[in-house]
Amino acid sequence: MSDRDRVSDPALDAELARRTEQEARIAAALVELDGHPGRALLTAGPLSGETARRWSDASPRYDALWRDFERLRAVLTEARELRDRRGPRAMVDLLFGRCIEPDPAEPAALPDRLRSAGAAVERIDLQHLVSRIDEAFHQVSTIVVEVDRVRGEFLAEYAPLVERLRAARALADELGLDPADPAVTDAAALAERAHQLDASASADPLGSPHTGRLAELAPALGTLETWLAGLARHRDNWAASVTEVTEGLRRADSLLASVDEAHRRGREVIANPHLAPVPDRLPALRIELDRLATVNGWSARADAMDRLRARLRAAAEELREALRLAEELVDRRAELRGRYEAYRAKASRLGRGEQPEVLELDRRLRQLLWSRPCDLAAATRALVEYQRLVTTPVGSR
């Protein structure tokens, strides 16, 4: 009696139950694998590169998995039917014997010999079949899971980038930018580049890292977002900007009046003040402000506002410089008067205030510094000479 003949009914039942559990496990794993996002990506469209190479090796194993599972299920179904008919001896051959003919289309189906006309077929038992299913499942699931993981890593960076691009393009539309505006064309170019990277990553997720190339888009996108945000701020704060420029023009008007007054006083008290007339740029700036409302598109309008602000700042600075120069002329006369009084007091302390040459220079300085208009150049020369007479010892002159 062979070993198989000595298998008891309880042992057969236990073996059938064990194989049935394996069948259920394999069925659940195959269903999960069939619906896995990684497998969907691998079968959704043409593959390329490393992914195409690896899937071309694994995909025949995937197809063979289902064929082998069908063989497993057919054998176990037949075994259960025999058990119901109380045919345990036939069950032994099904559960323990080499009763399964491998698929000749499967490369590893005939490990010992190739099928040929008239050649015997090498059969395998359930244990070998289950082992082959497990091995093929591991190979296929490895690439499926890896593809899903890599694709997920890409999408984790791609999705936020695409959302930022969508928001940027929506804001550009909201701002009414011309299709030829650099912001619009830049957004379109970035979107196209992102789409190309997505297509490349979808066709070959296991190829060279795609997330790094996504990261290369970030600086340009950041610049675009900053630019659009600036335009949005111009739009949102437009009324305040107009008010600010209007107030700046009012201050410039006041500054211009101060310059005119300083020039008038400078010409009155200083001889040959050489004060160049300051051009009145404010009327042109007011016209420019009035025209802003007619500029189409927030990009052009923002540029026009920035230019107006820059011109207003330059005009105000020009006026401040003119006022400083005019005031310095008058202040220079006051400074010379102060220095003269200081040296006059020193001359008195030193007992030189009554010396003829000092008295003569004293009279000349009073005439120069307290007359209108004041000759600053002559007064400066006279004061230098007065300082020399007061501070130089008598014997050293």
Side-chain angles (χ1 to χ4, degrees):
M1 179 181 295
S2 66
D3 291 340
R4 282 190 290 172
D5 292 336
R6 286 194 287 271
V7 178
S8 64
D9 286 355
L12 284 173
D13 288 341
E15 179 66 10
L16 180 58
R18 186 172 73 87
R19 294 301 183 185
T20 299
E21 289 178 1
Q22 286 181 334
E23 176 191 15
R25 171 183 63 80
I26 293 171
L30 286 176
V31 169
E32 182 179 356
L33 181 62
D34 194 57
H36 198 285
R39 196 198 73 83
L41 181 63
L42 287 165
T43 57
L47 300 176
S48 63
E50 176 68 9
T51 307
R53 184 190 67 77
R54 289 182 58 182
W55 184 239
S56 67
D57 294 338
S59 58
R61 305 299 298 270
Y62 177 75
D63 296 334
L65 269 172
W66 285 99
R67 292 194 296 269
D68 279 348
F69 175 68
E70 287 301 320
R71 293 186 182 91
L72 174 65
R73 189 169 62 174
V75 169
L76 294 178
T77 298
E78 184 178 356
R80 284 189 287 269
E81 291 173 352
L82 289 173
R83 186 71 183 111
D84 292 340
R85 294 199 302 268
R86 314 303 296 175
R89 292 305 93 197
M91 284 177 59
V92 173
D93 290 334
L94 289 174
L95 296 178
F96 296 100
R98 296 193 174 196
C99 61
I100 302 165
E101 180 178 336
D103 184 357
E106 169 65 25
L110 304 176
D112 298 325
R113 62 176 65 108
L114 296 176
R115 178 190 289 269
S116 58
V121 176
E122 180 71 18
R123 296 176 183 272
I124 60 174
D125 55 25
L126 281 180
Q127 183 58 41
H128 284 87
L129 182 64
V130 170
S131 296
R132 193 170 73 177
I133 289 174
D134 287 342
E135 180 185 351
F137 183 87
H138 175 73
Q139 179 184 0
V140 174
S141 63
T142 295
I143 184 174
V144 165
V145 170
E146 185 177 358
V147 162
D148 183 51
R149 176 186 62 78
V150 174
R151 180 62 175 167
E153 291 174 353
F154 175 83
L155 291 178
E157 294 192 22
Y158 177 75
L161 184 74
V162 168
E163 177 56 28
R164 287 170 62 190
L165 278 167
R166 185 206 62 77
R169 300 182 80 173
L171 181 55
D173 291 340
E174 183 183 325
L175 292 168
L177 300 186
D178 188 273
D181 189 282
V184 177
T185 56
D186 287 350
L190 286 170
E192 176 60 24
R193 179 62 180 144
H195 175 73
Q196 292 173 353
L197 287 174
D198 179 42
S200 175
S202 178
D204 186 18
L206 301 181
S208 59
H210 303 280
T211 52
R213 281 182 281 174
L214 271 181
E216 294 173 2
L217 303 182
L221 178 55
T223 300
L224 174 63
E225 289 172 324
T226 299
W227 168 246
L228 290 173
L231 292 186
R233 283 193 298 273
H234 270 291
R235 177 198 61 188
D236 298 340
N237 300 320
W238 186 254
S241 296
V242 171
T243 300
E244 175 194 338
V245 172
T246 302
E247 179 61 22
L249 285 167
R250 188 196 64 77
R251 291 193 299 270
D253 259 333
S254 177
L255 193 56
L256 179 60
S258 297
V259 171
D260 289 342
E261 174 59 22
H263 276 210
R264 184 197 63 76
R265 179 164 173 74
R267 286 189 291 270
E268 177 184 330
V269 301
I270 304 298
N272 300 318
H274 302 296
L275 293 172
V278 180
D280 184 1
R281 307 185 190 278
L282 303 184
L285 294 179
R286 289 192 185 90
I287 293 173
E288 196 171 336
L289 176 61
D290 292 339
R291 288 176 177 170
L292 283 180
T294 65
V295 177
N296 293 323
W298 283 104
S299 179
R301 189 176 290 189
D303 286 345
M305 174 61 84
D306 288 341
R307 288 193 298 269
L308 175 56
R309 281 173 165 161
R311 291 188 181 111
L312 178 56
R313 286 193 299 269
E317 181 58 33
E318 184 179 44
L319 290 172
R320 282 190 290 270
E321 179 64 12
L323 180 61
R324 183 186 66 80
L325 292 174
E327 290 177 339
E328 281 183 353
L329 279 174
V330 178
D331 292 344
R332 174 66 175 163
R333 185 186 67 161
E335 177 195 348
L336 291 176
R337 284 178 174 182
R339 289 173 59 192
Y340 160 70
E341 294 292 353
Y343 279 110
R344 188 168 180 273
K346 185 173 183 178
S348 178
R349 289 196 308 272
L350 295 175
R352 297 177 182 175
E354 302 299 325
Q355 294 175 357
E357 63 269 34
V358 174
L359 284 172
E360 174 60 24
L361 204 50
D362 183 271
R363 182 194 61 77
R364 177 165 172 71
L365 279 168
R366 280 185 172 278
Q367 182 183 20
L368 287 169
L369 292 173
W370 272 267
S371 63
R372 288 191 179 192
C374 171
D375 187 342
L376 284 179
T380 301
R381 291 193 297 270
L383 183 60
V384 170
E385 178 62 17
Y386 188 80
Q387 176 185 358
R388 186 187 67 77
L389 290 175
V390 169
T391 58
T392 303
V394 176
S396 301
R397 295 177 190 171

